[in-house]
């Protein structure tokens, strides 16, 4: 199958809603991203696929401003700003969201407190003007709806953030946060890894429900499996810190068959053992 | 007036104490006089303690306070006892508790009213010979509380004692003697407070707690002395068969606040849950020495001491887990977690295991010292939570695990507010 590696870039070149331009990033002095460019419009779902060590996590963490990743060059434009100059919290307030591959356990802070504080921060509640804070009733109603889609029960809210959560529960909790914070640009970092098939379905249902003209999505994944549930509009292959190919959803099928063999010896299809989990 | 024999006699007369107690005080004073201050270089138990600036001569053994304890702060409690300095303690107890034989009264009064009990237990757990401060305490203890809960009695509402400092330059040496009868159940709180946040003072308190068979006791000590107080405190718990202890120690005050906590798990099947919470600012130094002594078989202990330090504050934690020869099938856990909120704050942590019986279920320990986890900060910030809010939430969350265990809402709220003020 012949693929035009230029197509996606050209299609979205004119002032996209979210634009990564020649981004170069180093970690501990080593350059991991060597000039990547990508344009995502609201309403689109892009998948970034790549083998281990290709720079996928570096991309997701850099976009959200993790302190361990040093930007050496390039820009990321969102809503008229170069977000690389903004602290993490400002990026979130601007409408960005990152679902982490490994959500951290935060003992002592309940999910309820965490979610409420995040919602209030987005609404500009600084602890003083109570009219800006979400009411208990509104908060309840908002969560009830989203939690039922994700098959999460009320007990989640009184538990500490991610403490004692199974792999699937952690990922569902990430998507719940996305659902209540309603971002305009969401990055899902390996959201499918470590998930049983039921959890993948619940998570995908929730993401598909959020899809629409107000949301751009970047799914970062090693394996093609999740893309059967969340259909991407574009697929990009990241190898050694560079995009080596871009195309439509058919590129994912091609990768499923061939793996990353053109570049490295790694399959893009999950091993049977992982599928069965 | 310095610490003299005459002062001991005067204090004993002031409290109208029986002759046997006066004799005990004088004997303890002899021990005090015969001891020097602990050698902080050679004595293992006192290593890392800085006593250079301590001058015992600078403190009056007791002083007439200029007013009573600021009482009446607590609601929904079963009984209270207030004492300021060496002034007579004032106790009040719900009528139904008295009818069921529960006693909460000033220790000085109990020495006359219940001599057989007090004589048997007083200073049997925390002995004067232990060190110069324990001897000073036994010779010149300011008073304190005596609590007795008879066999099989359950007290629903917490019992609270509050001890206030007498004033600047005075020693304050409160004592709590607690006897939990067989199968009794209650929660007790000791609060140690300074009238003035800036006053200089010397505090040496002792708490001796005896849990008889099957007793289920919650013990909370809230130490909120001024930041210029030298504190040398001891708590020792003796647990009988199947007794259950849930302890929470909160340390907020003190220039140097030293606390020794010893849980003697003597009765088979007894268990102790020991929690500590501290927050140091400025130049404060905390020193915690804990002992989980598994004497009897099938005993369980679980210790967690957590604290945050900012500015130049320091803490030392040394925790011993001892599993004695007869303690087969016992299980212990010990954890000390320190959050450093500034570059200059410092914490050290040292676990010591003395295992004399290898037939144990579990013996684990862990210690951490470090700043707020940057991954936690990133996570909260990635959800749009501003950094100062994120930091506050993380520190509160860190301490909340212990804070939530304080059984009296008013005490818990007061600690919560104080912590919030220190975080910001």
């Amino acid at each position: 199958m012949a693929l035009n590696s230029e197509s996606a870039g050209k299609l979205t070149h004119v002032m996209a809603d979210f634009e990564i331009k020649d981004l170069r990033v180093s970690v501990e002095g080593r350059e991991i991203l060597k000039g990547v460019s990508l344009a995502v419009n609201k309403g689109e779902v892009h998948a970034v696929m790549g083998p281990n060590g290709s720079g996928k996590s570096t991309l997701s963490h850099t976009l959200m401003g993790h302190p361990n990743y040093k930007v050496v060059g390039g820009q990321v434009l969102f809503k008229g700003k170069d977000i690389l100059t903004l602290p993490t919290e400002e990026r979130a307030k601007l409408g960005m969201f990152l679902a982490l591959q490994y959500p951290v356990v935060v003992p002592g802070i309940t999910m309820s407190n965490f979610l409420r504080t995040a919602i209030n921060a987005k609404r500009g509640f600084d602890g003083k003007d109570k009219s800006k804070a979400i009411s208990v009733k509104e908060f309840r109603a908002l969560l009830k709806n989203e939690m039922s889609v994700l098959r999460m029960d009320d007990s989640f809210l009184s538990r500490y953030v991610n403490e004692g959560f199974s792999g699937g529960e952690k990922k569902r909790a990430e998507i719940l946060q996305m659902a209540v914070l309603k971002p305009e640009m969401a990055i899902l970092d390996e959201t499918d890894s470590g998930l049983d098939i039921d959890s993948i379905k619940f998570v995908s249902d929730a993401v598909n429900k959020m899809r629409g003209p107000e949301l751009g999505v970047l799914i970062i994944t090693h394996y093609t499996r999740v893309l059967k549930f969340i259909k991407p509009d574009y697929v990009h292959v990241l190898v050694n810190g560079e995009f080596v190919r871009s195309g439509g959803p058919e590129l994912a099928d091609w990768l499923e068959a061939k793996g990353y063999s053109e570049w490295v010896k790694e399959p893009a299809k999950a091993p049977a053992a992982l599928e069965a989990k | 007036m310095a610490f003299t024999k005459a002062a001991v006699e005067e204090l004993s007369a002031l409290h109208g104490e029986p002759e046997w107690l006066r004799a005990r005080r004088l004997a303890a004073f002899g021990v005090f006089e015969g001891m020097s201050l602990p050698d902080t270089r050679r004595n293992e138990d006192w290593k890392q303690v800085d006593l250079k600036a301590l001058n015992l001569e600078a403190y009056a053994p007791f002083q007439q306070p200029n007013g009573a304890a600021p009482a009446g702060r607590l609601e929904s409690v079963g009984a209270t006892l207030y004492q300021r300095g060496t002034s007579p303690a004032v106790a009040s107890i719900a009528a139904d508790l008295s009818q069921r034989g529960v006693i909460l009264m000033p220790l000085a009064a109990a020495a006359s009213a219940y001599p057989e009990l007090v004589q048997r237990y007083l200073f049997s757990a925390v002995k004067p010979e232990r060190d110069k401060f324990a001897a000073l305490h036994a010779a010149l203890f300011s008073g304190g509380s005596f609590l007795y809960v008879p066999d099989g009695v359950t007290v629903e509402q917490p019992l609270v004692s509050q001890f206030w400092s007498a004033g600047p330059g005075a020693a304050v040496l409160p004592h709590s003697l607690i006897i939990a009868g067989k199968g009794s159940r209650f929660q007790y709180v000791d609060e140690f407070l300074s009238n003035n946040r800036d006053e200089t003072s010397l505090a040496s308190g002792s708490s001796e707690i005896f849990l008889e068979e099957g007793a289920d006791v919650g013990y909370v000590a809230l130490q909120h002395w001024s930041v210029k107080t030298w504190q040398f405190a001891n708590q020792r718990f003796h647990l009988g068969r199947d007794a259950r202890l849930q302890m929470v120690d909160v340390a907020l005050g003190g220039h140097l606040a030293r606390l020794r906590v010893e849980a003697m798990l003597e009765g088979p099947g007894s268990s102790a849950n020991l929690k500590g919470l501290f927050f140091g600012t400025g130049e404060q130094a905390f020193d915690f020495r804990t002992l989980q002594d598994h004497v009897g078989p099938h005993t369980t202990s679980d210790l967690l001491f957590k604290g945050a330090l900012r500015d130049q504050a320091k803490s030392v934690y040394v925790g011993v887990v001892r599993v004695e020869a007869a303690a087969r099938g016992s299980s212990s856990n010990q954890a000390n977690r320190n959050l450093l909120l500034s570059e200059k704050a410092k914490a050290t942590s040292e676990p010591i295991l003395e295992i004399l019986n290898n037939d144990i279920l579990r013996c684990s320990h862990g210690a951490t010292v470090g700043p707020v986890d940057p991954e936690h900060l990133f996570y909260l910030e990635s959800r749009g939570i501003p950094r100062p809010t994120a930091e506050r939430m993380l520190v509160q969350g860190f301490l909340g695990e212990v804070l939530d265990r304080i059984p009296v809402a008013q005490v818990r709220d007061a600690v919560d507010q104080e912590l919030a003020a220190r975080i910001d």
Side-chain angles (χ1 to χ4, degrees), chain B residues 189-368:
Chain B
V189 181
D190 265 333
E191 281 193 84
F192 304 102
L193 304 152
S194 293
N195 280 15
N196 183 327
R197 305 303 315 146
D198 291 323
E199 72 187 20
T200 307
S201 141
L202 174 73
S204 177
S206 280
S207 300
E208 302 181 288
I209 296 108
F210 301 88
L211 289 78
E212 293 182 358
E213 184 178 336
D216 185 347
V217 174
Y219 176 83
V220 177
L222 166 58
Q223 183 271 100
H224 201 181
W225 300 123
S226 81
V227 292
K228 290 183 184 165
T229 298
W230 294 82
Q231 180 198 253
F232 304 94
N234 286 291
Q235 295 168 355
R236 192 168 160 105
F237 304 87
H238 286 271
L239 284 80
R241 175 183 286 270
D242 296 327
R244 180 163 168 265
L245 167 70
Q246 299 205 65
M247 182 215 80
V248 183
D249 264 306
V250 180
L252 296 171
H255 168 69
L256 167 68
R258 178 180 161 97
L259 172 65
R260 200 194 266 122
V261 180
E262 298 174 331
M264 307 301 297
L265 297 140
E266 289 154 349
S270 58
S271 71
N273 186 305
L274 311 166
K275 289 209 160 36
L277 169 63
F278 53 99
F279 199 125
T281 62
E283 313 252 302
Q284 284 188 286
F286 294 112
D287 186 278
F288 300 104
R289 311 277 161 153
T290 65
L291 171 65
Q292 295 152 264
D293 196 344
H294 294 260
V295 183
H298 307 291
T299 47
T300 306
S301 69
D302 189 1
L303 177 145
L304 173 64
F305 270 53
K306 277 185 135 181
L309 301 164
R310 72 182 325 148
D311 307 326
Q312 289 93 257
K314 284 186 286 230
S315 84
V316 171
Y317 172 83
V318 181
V320 177
V321 173
R322 187 180 295 147
V323 178
E324 306 214 2
R328 66 179 185 283
S330 64
S331 164
S332 71
N333 183 41
Q334 180 204 78
N336 170 228
R337 316 245 171 255
N338 302 279
L339 199 52
L340 304 182
L341 303 177
S342 79
E343 298 272 314
K344 288 187 177 163
K346 205 179 148 199
T348 62
S349 189
E350 185 186 347
I352 299 171
L353 305 178
E354 299 172 5
I355 314 290
L356 302 173
N357 185 327
N358 285 319
D359 179 18
I360 51 179
L361 293 179
R362 189 174 78 129
C363 181
S364 56
H365 62 92
T368 52

Side-chain angles (χ1 to χ4, degrees), chain A residues 66 89 98 105 108 121 174 177, chain B residues 375-376 379 383-384 387 397:
Chain A
H66 191 287
E89 60 175 273
L98 169 64
V105 175
E174 291 291 289
Q177 292 164 46
Chain B
E375 296 298 333
H376 289 170
Y379 193 42
R383 302 306 183 240
R387 175 160 292 211

Side-chain angles (χ1 to χ4, degrees), chain B residues 64-71 82-85 87-90 162 164-166 195:
Chain B
Q64 212 50 38
N66 53 357
Y82 300 100
Q83 186 173 26
R84 183 157 177 217
S87 307
V90 179
Q162 276 189 353
W164 294 79
S165 65
N195 280 15

